[in-house]
Amino acid sequence: MNRKLLTSLFVGILAFFSCSVFAQNSATLAERHVQNGQNCAACHSENPPAQAVPTEKCQSCHGGFEAMKEKTKDCKPNPHYTHMGDQPCEECHKGHQPSVNMCAQCHKIELNVK
């Protein structure tokens, strides 16, 4: 095989495992934020935290809806580009509980929601 074909194959496999249900992801969203050096106040404005983090706060670090669609463009299907339009982050991403695949409520779609 030539180098270009091998590179394409590698990138495809990497995209599959980063977007698939087979990707390992045991920590909650809050735990992963702490592992990356964030504290509760980085996301929550009240102390002690009492509410879900609003989408605007998520977007202040992760970018807006268009940026997230671009970041996940190689996932099939793209979880941020749907017929439901732009959904609040907390619909799928749960800070202190396992995140959920909102699409699976109606569709037979498996996504690794982090």
Side-chain angles (χ1 to χ4, degrees):
M1 279 192 223
N2 68 32
R3 178 172 272 164
K4 197 175 206 180
L5 181 60
L6 283 174
T7 301
S8 296
L9 182 61
F10 177 74
V11 169
I13 291 170
L14 185 63
F16 172 78
F17 280 107
S18 67
C19 299
S20 76
V21 294
F22 301 110
Q24 296 299 313
N25 182 25
S26 59
T28 66
L29 186 62
E31 291 167 334
R32 285 193 313 279
H33 278 85
V34 168
Q35 290 169 356
N36 288 321
Q38 302 297 317
N39 61 23
C40 300
C43 298
H44 293 282
S45 57
E46 71 278 349
N47 189 8
Q51 299 178 13
V53 176
T55 293
E56 295 77 25
K57 186 66 176 177
C58 301
Q59 290 177 339
S60 70
C61 293
H62 297 281
F65 291 116
E66 294 306 313
M68 291 309 302
K69 290 173 189 174
E70 179 63 25
K71 288 178 185 176
T72 56
K73 69 181 179 186
D74 292 331
C75 296
K76 303 298 181 209
N78 186 339
H80 296 106
Y81 187 79
T82 73
H83 66 89
M84 298 291 292
D86 296 334
Q87 296 292 307
C89 300
E90 63 271 16
E91 286 290 327
C92 297
H93 304 282
K94 309 297 180 183
H96 300 277
Q97 303 167 17
S99 292
V100 298
N101 176 1
M102 187 180 82
C103 298
Q105 293 175 3
C106 300
H107 304 281
K108 291 183 179 184
I109 295 174
E110 294 186 19
L111 295 169
N112 178 29
V113 183
K114 297 178 180 181

Coordinates of all heavy atoms in Angstrom, one line a residue, residues 6-97:
L6 N -2.4 4.5 3.3 CA -2.3 4.2 4.7 C -2.7 5.3 5.6 O -3.3 5.1 6.7 CB -0.8 3.7 5.0 CG -0.4 2.3 4.5 CD1 1.0 2.1 4.7 CD2 -1.3 1.3 5.3
T7 N -2.3 6.5 5.3 CA -2.6 7.7 6.1 C -4.2 7.9 6.1 O -4.7 8.1 7.2 CB -2.0 9.0 5.5 OG1 -0.6 8.8 5.5 CG2 -2.3 10.2 6.3
S8 N -4.8 7.7 4.9 CA -6.3 7.8 4.9 C -6.9 6.8 5.7 O -7.9 7.1 6.4 CB -6.8 7.7 3.4 OG -6.3 8.8 2.7
L9 N -6.4 5.6 5.7 CA -7.0 4.5 6.5 C -6.8 4.8 7.9 O -7.8 4.6 8.7 CB -6.3 3.2 6.1 CG -6.8 1.9 6.8 CD1 -8.2 1.7 6.5 CD2 -5.9 0.7 6.4
F10 N -5.7 5.2 8.4 CA -5.4 5.5 9.8 C -6.3 6.6 10.3 O -6.9 6.5 11.3 CB -3.9 5.9 10.0 CG -3.6 6.4 11.3 CD1 -3.5 5.4 12.4 CD2 -3.5 7.7 11.7 CE1 -3.2 5.8 13.7 CE2 -3.2 8.1 12.9 CZ -3.1 7.2 14.0
V11 N -6.5 7.7 9.5 CA -7.4 8.8 9.9 C -8.8 8.3 10.0 O -9.5 8.7 10.9 CB -7.2 10.0 8.9 CG1 -8.3 11.0 9.1 CG2 -5.8 10.6 9.0
G12 N -9.2 7.5 9.1 CA -10.6 7.0 9.1 C -10.8 6.1 10.4 O -11.9 6.3 11.0
I13 N -9.9 5.3 10.7 CA -10.0 4.5 11.9 C -10.0 5.3 13.1 O -10.8 5.1 14.0 CB -8.9 3.4 11.9 CG1 -9.1 2.4 10.8 CG2 -8.8 2.7 13.3 CD1 -7.9 1.4 10.6
L14 N -9.2 6.3 13.2 CA -9.1 7.2 14.3 C -10.4 8.0 14.5 O -10.9 8.1 15.6 CB -7.9 8.2 14.1 CG -7.7 9.2 15.3 CD1 -7.3 8.4 16.5 CD2 -6.6 10.1 14.9
A15 N -11.0 8.5 13.4 CA -12.3 9.2 13.4 C -13.4 8.3 13.9 O -14.2 8.6 14.7 CB -12.6 9.8 12.1
F16 N -13.4 7.0 13.5 CA -14.4 6.1 13.9 C -14.3 5.8 15.4 O -15.3 5.9 16.1 CB -14.2 4.7 13.2 CG -15.1 3.6 13.7 CD1 -16.4 3.6 13.4 CD2 -14.6 2.7 14.6 CE1 -17.2 2.6 13.9 CE2 -15.4 1.7 15.1 CZ -16.7 1.7 14.7
F17 N -13.1 5.6 15.9 CA -13.0 5.3 17.3 C -13.2 6.5 18.2 O -13.7 6.4 19.3 CB -11.7 4.6 17.7 CG -11.7 3.2 17.4 CD1 -11.0 2.7 16.3 CD2 -12.5 2.3 18.1 CE1 -11.0 1.3 15.9 CE2 -12.5 0.9 17.8 CZ -11.8 0.5 16.7
S18 N -12.9 7.7 17.7 CA -13.2 8.9 18.5 C -14.6 9.3 18.5 O -15.1 10.0 19.4 CB -12.3 10.1 18.0 OG -12.8 10.5 16.7
C19 N -15.4 8.8 17.6 CA -16.8 9.2 17.5 C -17.8 8.0 17.8 O -19.0 8.3 18.0 CB -17.2 9.7 16.1 SG -16.3 11.1 15.5
S20 N -17.3 6.9 17.9 CA -18.1 5.7 18.1 C -18.4 5.4 19.5 O -17.8 6.0 20.4 CB -17.5 4.5 17.4 OG -16.4 4.0 18.3
V21 N -19.4 4.5 19.7 CA -19.7 4.0 21.0 C -18.6 3.2 21.7 O -18.6 2.9 22.8 CB -21.0 3.2 21.1 CG1 -22.2 4.1 20.7 CG2 -20.9 2.0 20.2
F22 N -17.6 2.8 20.9 CA -16.5 2.0 21.4 C -15.4 2.8 22.1 O -14.6 2.2 22.7 CB -15.9 1.2 20.2 CG -16.9 0.3 19.6 CD1 -17.3 0.5 18.3 CD2 -17.5 -0.8 20.3 CE1 -18.3 -0.3 17.7 CE2 -18.4 -1.6 19.6 CZ -18.8 -1.3 18.4
A23 N -15.5 4.1 21.9 CA -14.5 5.0 22.6 C -14.7 4.8 24.1 O -15.8 4.9 24.6 CB -14.6 6.4 22.2
Q24 N -13.6 4.7 24.8 CA -13.6 4.6 26.3 C -13.9 6.0 26.9 O -13.2 6.9 26.6 CB -12.3 4.0 26.8 CG -12.1 2.6 26.3 CD -13.2 1.6 26.8 OE1 -13.6 1.6 27.9 NE2 -13.7 0.9 25.9
N25 N -14.8 6.0 27.8 CA -15.2 7.3 28.4 C -15.9 7.0 29.7 O -17.1 7.0 29.7 CB -16.1 8.1 27.4 CG -16.4 9.5 28.0 OD1 -15.7 10.0 28.8 ND2 -17.5 10.0 27.6
S26 N -15.2 6.8 30.8 CA -15.9 6.4 32.0 C -16.1 7.6 33.0 O -17.0 7.6 33.8 CB -15.1 5.3 32.7 OG -13.8 5.8 33.0
A27 N -15.3 8.6 32.8 CA -15.4 9.8 33.7 C -16.6 10.7 33.3 O -16.9 10.8 32.2 CB -14.1 10.6 33.7
T28 N -17.2 11.3 34.3 CA -18.3 12.2 34.0 C -17.7 13.5 33.4 O -16.5 13.7 33.5 CB -19.1 12.6 35.3 OG1 -18.3 13.3 36.2 CG2 -19.7 11.4 35.9
L29 N -18.5 14.3 32.9 CA -18.1 15.6 32.3 C -17.4 16.4 33.4 O -16.3 17.0 33.1 CB -19.3 16.3 31.7 CG -19.0 17.6 30.9 CD1 -18.2 17.3 29.7 CD2 -20.4 18.2 30.5
A30 N -17.9 16.5 34.5 CA -17.3 17.3 35.6 C -16.0 16.7 36.0 O -15.0 17.5 36.2 CB -18.3 17.3 36.8
E31 N -15.8 15.4 36.1 CA -14.6 14.8 36.4 C -13.5 15.1 35.3 O -12.3 15.4 35.7 CB -14.7 13.3 36.6 CG -15.5 12.9 37.8 CD -16.0 11.5 37.8 OE1 -16.1 10.8 36.8 OE2 -16.2 10.9 38.9
R32 N -13.9 15.0 34.1 CA -13.0 15.3 33.0 C -12.5 16.8 33.1 O -11.4 17.1 32.8 CB -13.5 15.0 31.7 CG -13.5 13.5 31.4 CD -13.8 13.1 30.0 NE -14.9 13.8 29.4 CZ -16.2 13.4 29.5 NH1 -16.5 12.4 30.3 NH2 -17.1 14.1 28.9
H33 N -13.4 17.7 33.4 CA -13.1 19.1 33.5 C -12.0 19.3 34.7 O -11.1 20.0 34.5 CB -14.3 20.0 33.8 CG -15.0 20.4 32.5 ND1 -16.0 19.5 32.0 CD2 -14.9 21.5 31.7 CE1 -16.4 20.1 30.9 NE2 -15.8 21.3 30.7
V34 N -12.2 18.6 35.8 CA -11.3 18.7 36.9 C -9.9 18.1 36.5 O -8.9 18.7 36.8 CB -11.9 18.0 38.2 CG1 -10.8 17.8 39.2 CG2 -13.0 18.7 38.7
Q35 N -10.0 17.0 35.8 CA -8.7 16.4 35.3 C -7.9 17.4 34.4 O -6.7 17.3 34.3 CB -9.0 15.1 34.5 CG -9.5 14.0 35.4 CD -10.0 12.8 34.6 OE1 -10.1 12.8 33.4 NE2 -10.4 11.7 35.3
N36 N -8.7 18.3 33.7 CA -8.1 19.3 32.8 C -7.8 20.6 33.6 O -7.5 21.6 32.9 CB -8.9 19.5 31.6 CG -8.9 18.4 30.6 OD1 -7.9 17.7 30.4 ND2 -10.0 18.0 30.1
G37 N -7.8 20.6 34.9 CA -7.4 21.7 35.7 C -8.5 22.8 36.0 O -8.2 23.8 36.4
Q38 N -9.8 22.4 35.7 CA -10.9 23.4 36.0 C -11.4 23.1 37.3 O -11.4 22.0 37.8 CB -12.0 23.2 34.9 CG -11.5 23.5 33.5 CD -11.0 24.9 33.3 OE1 -11.6 25.8 33.7 NE2 -9.9 25.0 32.6
N39 N -12.0 24.1 38.0 CA -12.7 23.9 39.2 C -14.2 24.2 39.0 O -14.6 24.6 37.9 CB -12.1 24.8 40.3 CG -12.2 26.3 40.0 OD1 -13.1 26.7 39.2 ND2 -11.4 27.1 40.6
C40 N -15.0 24.0 40.0 CA -16.4 24.1 39.9 C -16.8 25.5 39.4 O -17.7 25.7 38.5 CB -17.1 23.9 41.2 SG -16.8 22.2 41.9
A41 N -16.1 26.5 39.9 CA -16.4 27.9 39.5 C -16.2 28.2 38.0 O -16.7 29.2 37.5 CB -15.7 28.9 40.4
A42 N -15.4 27.4 37.4 CA -15.1 27.6 35.9 C -16.4 27.4 35.1 O -16.6 28.0 34.1 CB -14.1 26.6 35.5
C43 N -17.3 26.6 35.6 CA -18.6 26.4 34.9 C -19.8 26.9 35.7 O -20.8 27.4 35.1 CB -18.8 24.9 34.7 SG -17.5 24.1 33.7
H44 N -19.8 26.8 37.0 CA -21.0 27.2 37.8 C -20.7 28.6 38.4 O -19.7 28.9 38.9 CB -21.1 26.2 39.0 CG -21.5 24.8 38.6 ND1 -22.8 24.5 38.2 CD2 -20.8 23.7 38.5 CE1 -22.9 23.2 37.9 NE2 -21.7 22.7 38.0
S45 N -21.8 29.4 38.3 CA -21.7 30.8 38.9 C -22.2 30.8 40.3 O -21.8 31.8 41.0 CB -22.5 31.7 38.0 OG -23.9 31.3 38.0
E46 N -23.0 29.8 40.8 CA -23.4 29.8 42.2 C -22.6 28.8 43.0 O -22.1 27.8 42.5 CB -24.9 29.5 42.2 CG -25.3 28.1 41.9 CD -25.4 27.8 40.4 OE1 -25.4 28.7 39.6 OE2 -25.6 26.6 40.1
N47 N -22.6 29.1 44.3 CA -21.8 28.2 45.2 C -22.7 28.0 46.4 O -23.0 28.9 47.2 CB -20.5 28.8 45.6 CG -19.6 27.9 46.4 OD1 -19.9 26.7 46.5 ND2 -18.5 28.4 46.9
P48 N -23.1 26.8 46.7 CA -22.8 25.5 45.9 C -23.6 25.5 44.6 O -24.7 26.1 44.6 CB -23.2 24.4 46.9 CG -24.3 25.0 47.7 CD -24.0 26.5 47.9
P49 N -23.1 24.8 43.6 CA -23.8 24.7 42.4 C -25.2 24.1 42.6 O -25.4 23.1 43.3 CB -22.9 23.8 41.5 CG -21.6 23.9 42.2 CD -21.8 24.1 43.6
A50 N -26.2 24.7 41.9 CA -27.6 24.2 42.1 C -28.3 24.0 40.8 O -29.3 23.4 40.8 CB -28.3 25.3 42.9
Q51 N -27.7 24.5 39.7 CA -28.4 24.4 38.4 C -27.5 23.8 37.3 O -26.2 23.9 37.5 CB -28.9 25.8 37.9 CG -29.9 26.4 38.9 CD -30.3 27.8 38.4 OE1 -30.0 28.2 37.3 NE2 -30.9 28.5 39.3
A52 N -28.1 23.4 36.2 CA -27.3 22.9 35.1 C -26.5 24.1 34.5 O -27.0 25.3 34.6 CB -28.2 22.3 34.0
V53 N -25.4 23.9 34.0 CA -24.6 25.0 33.4 C -25.3 25.4 32.1 O -25.6 24.6 31.3 CB -23.1 24.5 33.1 CG1 -22.3 25.5 32.4 CG2 -22.5 24.1 34.4
P54 N -25.5 26.7 31.9 CA -26.2 27.1 30.7 C -25.3 27.0 29.4 O -24.0 27.1 29.5 CB -26.5 28.6 30.9 CG -25.6 29.0 32.0 CD -25.2 27.8 32.8
T55 N -25.9 26.8 28.3 CA -25.2 26.6 27.0 C -24.2 27.7 26.8 O -23.1 27.5 26.3 CB -26.2 26.5 25.9 OG1 -26.9 25.3 26.1 CG2 -25.5 26.5 24.5
E56 N -24.6 29.0 27.1 CA -23.7 30.1 26.9 C -22.3 29.9 27.6 O -21.3 30.3 27.1 CB -24.3 31.4 27.3 CG -25.6 31.8 26.5 CD -26.8 31.0 26.9 OE1 -26.9 30.5 28.0 OE2 -27.7 30.8 26.0
K57 N -22.4 29.4 28.8 CA -21.1 29.1 29.5 C -20.3 28.1 28.9 O -19.1 28.2 28.7 CB -21.5 28.7 31.0 CG -20.3 28.6 31.9 CD -19.6 30.0 32.1 CE -18.5 29.9 33.0 NZ -17.8 31.1 33.2
C58 N -20.9 27.0 28.4 CA -20.2 26.0 27.6 C -19.5 26.6 26.4 O -18.3 26.3 26.1 CB -21.1 24.8 27.2 SG -22.0 24.0 28.5
Q59 N -20.3 27.4 25.7 CA -19.8 28.0 24.5 C -18.7 29.0 24.7 O -17.9 29.2 23.8 CB -20.9 28.7 23.7 CG -21.9 27.6 23.2 CD -23.1 28.3 22.5 OE1 -23.4 29.4 22.7 NE2 -23.7 27.5 21.6
S60 N -18.6 29.6 25.9 CA -17.5 30.5 26.2 C -16.1 29.9 26.1 O -15.1 30.5 25.8 CB -17.7 31.2 27.5 OG -17.5 30.3 28.6
C61 N -16.1 28.6 26.3 CA -14.8 27.8 26.2 C -14.7 26.9 25.0 O -13.7 26.8 24.3 CB -14.6 26.9 27.4 SG -14.4 27.8 29.0
H62 N -15.8 26.3 24.6 CA -15.8 25.3 23.5 C -16.2 25.9 22.2 O -16.1 25.2 21.2 CB -16.7 24.1 23.9 CG -16.3 23.4 25.1 ND1 -15.3 22.5 25.1 CD2 -16.7 23.5 26.4 CE1 -15.1 22.0 26.3 NE2 -15.9 22.6 27.1
G63 N -16.7 27.1 22.1 CA -17.1 27.7 20.9 C -18.6 27.5 20.7 O -19.3 26.8 21.4
G64 N -19.1 28.3 19.7 CA -20.6 28.3 19.5 C -21.0 27.0 18.7 O -20.3 26.1 18.5
F65 N -22.3 27.0 18.3 CA -22.9 25.9 17.6 C -22.1 25.5 16.3 O -21.8 24.4 16.1 CB -24.3 26.1 17.3 CG -25.2 26.2 18.5 CD1 -25.9 27.3 18.9 CD2 -25.4 25.0 19.3 CE1 -26.7 27.4 20.0 CE2 -26.2 25.1 20.5 CZ -26.8 26.2 20.8
E66 N -21.7 26.6 15.6 CA -21.0 26.3 14.3 C -19.6 25.7 14.6 O -19.2 24.8 13.9 CB -20.9 27.6 13.5 CG -22.2 28.1 13.0 CD -23.0 27.0 12.2 OE1 -22.5 26.4 11.3 OE2 -24.2 26.9 12.5
A67 N -19.0 26.1 15.6 CA -17.7 25.6 16.0 C -17.8 24.1 16.4 O -17.0 23.3 16.0 CB -17.0 26.4 17.1
M68 N -18.8 23.8 17.1 CA -19.0 22.4 17.6 C -19.4 21.5 16.4 O -18.9 20.4 16.3 CB -20.1 22.3 18.6 CG -19.6 22.9 20.0 SD -18.0 22.3 20.6 CE -18.3 20.6 20.7
K69 N -20.2 22.0 15.5 CA -20.5 21.2 14.3 C -19.2 20.9 13.5 O -19.1 19.8 13.0 CB -21.5 22.0 13.4 CG -22.9 22.1 14.0 CD -23.8 23.0 13.2 CE -25.1 23.3 13.9 NZ -25.9 24.3 13.2
E70 N -18.4 21.9 13.4 CA -17.1 21.7 12.7 C -16.2 20.7 13.4 O -15.6 19.8 12.8 CB -16.4 23.0 12.5 CG -15.0 22.9 11.8 CD -15.1 22.5 10.3 OE1 -16.2 22.6 9.7 OE2 -14.1 21.9 9.8
K71 N -16.1 20.8 14.7 CA -15.3 19.9 15.5 C -15.7 18.4 15.4 O -14.9 17.5 15.5 CB -15.3 20.3 17.0 CG -14.5 21.5 17.2 CD -14.5 21.9 18.7 CE -13.9 23.2 19.0 NZ -14.0 23.7 20.4
T72 N -17.0 18.2 15.2 CA -17.6 16.8 15.1 C -18.0 16.4 13.7 O -18.7 15.5 13.5 CB -18.7 16.7 16.1 OG1 -19.7 17.7 15.8 CG2 -18.3 16.8 17.5
K73 N -17.5 17.1 12.7 CA -17.9 16.9 11.3 C -17.6 15.5 10.8 O -18.2 15.0 10.0 CB -17.3 17.9 10.4 CG -15.8 17.8 10.2 CD -15.3 18.9 9.3 CE -13.8 18.7 9.2 NZ -13.1 19.7 8.4
D74 N -16.6 14.8 11.4 CA -16.2 13.5 11.0 C -17.0 12.4 11.6 O -16.9 11.2 11.2 CB -14.7 13.3 11.2 CG -13.8 14.1 10.3 OD1 -14.3 14.5 9.2 OD2 -12.7 14.5 10.7
C75 N -17.8 12.7 12.6 CA -18.6 11.8 13.3 C -19.8 11.5 12.4 O -20.4 12.5 11.8 CB -19.1 12.3 14.6 SG -17.8 12.5 15.8
K76 N -20.2 10.3 12.2 CA -21.4 10.0 11.3 C -22.4 9.2 12.2 O -22.1 8.1 12.6 CB -20.9 9.1 10.1 CG -19.9 9.7 9.3 CD -20.3 11.0 8.6 CE -19.2 11.6 7.8 NZ -19.2 13.0 7.7
P77 N -23.5 9.8 12.5 CA -23.9 11.2 12.1 C -23.3 12.2 13.0 O -22.9 11.9 14.1 CB -25.5 11.2 12.3 CG -25.7 10.2 13.4 CD -24.6 9.1 13.2
N78 N -23.2 13.4 12.5 CA -22.7 14.5 13.3 C -23.7 14.9 14.4 O -24.8 15.4 14.1 CB -22.4 15.7 12.4 CG -21.7 16.9 13.2 OD1 -21.7 16.9 14.4 ND2 -21.0 17.7 12.4
P79 N -23.4 14.7 15.7 CA -24.3 14.9 16.7 C -24.7 16.4 16.9 O -25.7 16.7 17.6 CB -23.6 14.4 18.0 CG -22.2 14.4 17.7 CD -22.1 14.2 16.2
H80 N -23.9 17.3 16.4 CA -24.2 18.7 16.6 C -24.8 19.4 15.3 O -25.1 20.6 15.3 CB -22.9 19.5 16.9 CG -22.3 19.0 18.2 ND1 -21.2 18.2 18.4 CD2 -22.8 19.3 19.5 CE1 -21.0 18.0 19.6 NE2 -21.9 18.6 20.4
Y81 N -25.1 18.6 14.3 CA -25.8 19.0 13.1 C -27.0 18.2 12.8 O -26.8 17.1 12.3 CB -24.8 19.0 11.9 CG -25.3 19.7 10.7 CD1 -25.3 21.0 10.5 CD2 -25.9 18.9 9.6 CE1 -25.8 21.6 9.4 CE2 -26.4 19.5 8.5 CZ -26.3 20.9 8.4 OH -26.8 21.5 7.3
T82 N -28.1 18.6 13.4 CA -29.3 17.7 13.3 C -30.5 18.4 12.8 O -30.5 19.7 12.7 CB -29.6 17.2 14.7 OG1 -30.2 18.2 15.5 CG2 -28.4 16.6 15.4
H83 N -31.5 17.7 12.6 CA -32.8 18.3 12.2 C -33.5 19.0 13.3 O -34.5 19.7 13.1 CB -33.7 17.2 11.6 CG -34.2 16.1 12.5 ND1 -35.3 16.3 13.3 CD2 -33.6 15.0 12.9 CE1 -35.4 15.2 14.1 NE2 -34.4 14.4 13.8
M84 N -33.0 18.8 14.5 CA -33.6 19.4 15.7 C -33.1 20.9 15.9 O -33.5 21.6 16.7 CB -33.3 18.6 17.0 CG -33.9 17.2 17.0 SD -35.6 17.2 17.2 CE -35.8 17.9 18.8
G85 N -32.1 21.2 15.0 CA -31.5 22.6 15.2 C -30.6 22.6 16.3 O -30.1 21.6 16.8
D86 N -30.2 23.8 16.7 CA -29.2 24.0 17.8 C -29.9 23.7 19.1 O -30.8 24.4 19.6 CB -28.6 25.4 17.7 CG -27.9 25.7 16.5 OD1 -27.4 24.7 15.9 OD2 -27.8 26.8 16.1
Q87 N -29.4 22.7 19.8 CA -30.0 22.2 21.1 C -29.1 22.7 22.2 O -27.9 22.8 22.1 CB -30.1 20.7 21.1 CG -31.1 20.1 20.1 CD -32.5 20.5 20.5 OE1 -33.0 20.3 21.6 NE2 -33.2 21.1 19.5
P88 N -29.7 23.0 23.4 CA -28.9 23.4 24.6 C -27.9 22.2 24.9 O -28.3 21.0 24.8 CB -29.9 23.5 25.7 CG -31.2 23.8 25.0 CD -31.1 23.0 23.7
C89 N -26.7 22.5 25.2 CA -25.7 21.5 25.5 C -26.1 20.5 26.5 O -25.9 19.3 26.4 CB -24.4 22.1 26.0 SG -23.6 23.3 24.8
E90 N -26.8 21.0 27.6 CA -27.3 20.1 28.7 C -28.3 19.1 28.3 O -28.7 18.2 29.1 CB -27.7 20.9 29.9 CG -28.9 21.8 29.7 CD -28.6 23.2 29.1 OE1 -27.5 23.5 28.7 OE2 -29.5 24.1 29.2
E91 N -28.9 19.2 27.1 CA -29.8 18.1 26.6 C -29.1 16.8 26.5 O -29.7 15.8 26.8 CB -30.3 18.5 25.2 CG -31.4 19.6 25.2 CD -32.7 19.2 25.8 OE1 -33.1 18.0 25.7 OE2 -33.3 20.1 26.4
C92 N -27.8 16.8 26.2 CA -27.1 15.5 26.1 C -25.9 15.4 27.1 O -25.7 14.4 27.7 CB -26.4 15.4 24.7 SG -27.6 15.3 23.3
H93 N -25.3 16.5 27.3 CA -24.1 16.6 28.2 C -24.5 16.9 29.6 O -25.0 18.0 29.9 CB -23.1 17.6 27.7 CG -22.7 17.4 26.3 ND1 -21.8 16.4 25.9 CD2 -23.1 18.0 25.1 CE1 -21.6 16.5 24.6 NE2 -22.4 17.4 24.1
K94 N -24.3 15.9 30.5 CA -24.7 16.0 31.9 C -23.4 16.1 32.7 O -22.5 15.3 32.6 CB -25.5 14.8 32.3 CG -26.7 14.4 31.4 CD -27.7 15.5 31.4 CE -28.9 15.1 30.5 NZ -29.9 16.2 30.4
G95 N -23.4 17.1 33.5 CA -22.1 17.4 34.3 C -21.7 16.3 35.3 O -20.6 15.8 35.3
H96 N -22.7 15.9 36.1 CA -22.4 15.0 37.2 C -23.0 13.6 37.1 O -23.1 12.9 38.0 CB -22.7 15.7 38.5 CG -22.0 16.9 38.7 ND1 -20.7 17.0 39.3 CD2 -22.3 18.2 38.5 CE1 -20.3 18.2 39.3 NE2 -21.2 19.0 38.8
Q97 N -23.6 13.4 35.9 CA -24.3 12.1 35.7 C -23.8 11.7 34.3 O -23.2 12.5 33.5 CB -25.8 12.3 35.6 CG -26.4 12.9 36.8 CD -27.8 13.3 36.6 OE1 -28.5 12.9 35.6 NE2 -28.4 14.2 37.5

